[in-house]
Amino acid sequence: SDRITEVVKDLAAAGAASQSPLLAGRETERTKAYVVITADRGLCGGYNAGTQRATEGEIKDDVLHGRGYSVVAVGRKAENYFRFRGYNIAASFGGFSDNPTYADAKRIAAFVMEAYTSGQFDRVELVYTRFVSVGTQEVVRRPLVPLDRDAISGGDGKGLDASGVPADFEFEPDPSTILETLLPRYIEARIYAALLNAAASEHAFRQRAMKSATDNAEEPVSYTHLRAHET
């Protein structure tokens, strides 16, 4: 994801221009969509609740300001949570939360891009749990579509050759054509990175939850043994 972002930046720095709707923001954002990534299963502590609450807070803010919303639920827990509470679910994907593949990200990206270009959504955001370390994960909300022009600007159009000396890139075909082709791949990579972060976070949460359950189970066992010994 980081690498493809750098390539897009370099294309922009080399003079690439694109009329892709993925880059064109709407003057008025009537409907926002949230791609909410949770687990397919429970028993993972507060992992699912974190993303669900964060999304729910944003939806309430949208309703308060007269904006429409849609939920793209990734993970069965997200689908069950928002469907049970009567929220508008535009699509749902599941069955791969603990081991996502690029093909899974591609299916989600295809739906998001089609819905955005057709006008169903005016803005799409990712809500997922970012993996920082084994002991630290955080719920984040990141813009997905339209692409943030600031995020793809600032490249220098250069890379490093084998000796570490900056070298000019030669783009073939022209940078604009490459950028137009690369934008969908960029969105796929962003979603895939979010899925991987979420999967790693899910495993970390589940590991802590299982350890806590084991520790809690051992306490009464130890107490029972102690009482039996005293008797």
Side-chain angles (χ1 to χ4, degrees):
S1 179
D2 291 340
R3 180 71 64 171
I4 198 171
T5 299
E6 290 303 316
V7 173
V8 170
K9 285 184 176 181
D10 283 324
L11 286 166
S18 174
Q19 300 302 316
S20 171
L22 299 178
L23 278 174
R26 308 269 162 77
E27 290 185 8
T28 303
E29 293 182 356
R30 296 182 301 273
T31 302
K32 290 174 67 176
Y34 300 94
V35 180
V36 190
I37 303 177
T38 65
D40 288 315
R41 298 177 291 128
L43 300 177
C44 49
Y47 170 72
N48 294 312
T51 52
Q52 290 164 354
R53 283 197 303 265
T55 306
E56 203 166 25
E58 291 300 314
I59 289 174
K60 289 178 179 177
D61 184 69
D62 290 334
V63 173
L64 185 64
H65 289 85
R67 290 188 297 264
Y69 73 89
S70 285
V71 173
V72 178
V74 180
R76 295 194 179 103
K77 288 297 181 179
E79 180 183 7
N80 293 341
Y81 182 89
F82 290 105
R83 193 177 300 282
F84 178 77
R85 286 160 178 77
Y87 287 101
N88 179 33
I89 298 179
S92 58
F93 303 86
F96 52 80
S97 72
D98 60 344
N99 188 28
T101 66
Y102 193 84
D104 298 319
K106 196 169 184 177
R107 287 193 296 117
I108 298 169
F111 173 80
V112 167
M113 288 186 286
E114 171 61 28
Y116 178 78
T117 55
S118 68
Q120 182 179 348
F121 306 148
D122 296 314
R123 182 178 180 84
V124 183
E125 295 184 349
L126 281 167
V127 186
Y128 64 98
T129 307
R130 187 172 76 92
F131 183 86
V132 180
S133 67
V134 174
T136 305
Q137 300 84 41
E138 61 178 357
V139 176
V140 295
R141 183 168 54 89
R142 298 283 188 262
L144 181 62
V145 183
L147 301 183
D148 187 348
R149 289 184 179 273
D150 291 336
I152 65 169
S153 63
D156 57 11
K158 298 180 180 180
L160 297 177
D161 61 21
S163 63
V165 177
D168 290 330
F169 282 143
E170 290 186 6
F171 296 102
E172 187 177 333
D174 62 277
S176 295
T177 302
I178 299 175
L179 180 63
E180 190 78 21
T181 304
L182 197 61
L183 287 176
R185 307 290 86 77
Y186 175 77
I187 298 216
E188 292 169 3
R190 288 279 309 280
I191 293 176
Y192 187 45
L195 290 175
L196 293 178
N197 267 276
S201 298
E202 178 187 343
H203 289 307
F205 266 87
R206 180 164 284 111
Q207 189 175 39
R208 288 200 299 271
M210 293 299 99
K211 183 179 184 304
S212 178
T214 300
D215 292 343
N216 291 338
E218 287 176 349
E219 285 183 11
V221 170
S222 299
Y223 178 76
T224 301
H225 287 170
L226 177 62
R227 295 290 295 174
H229 178 73
E230 290 176 349
T231 302

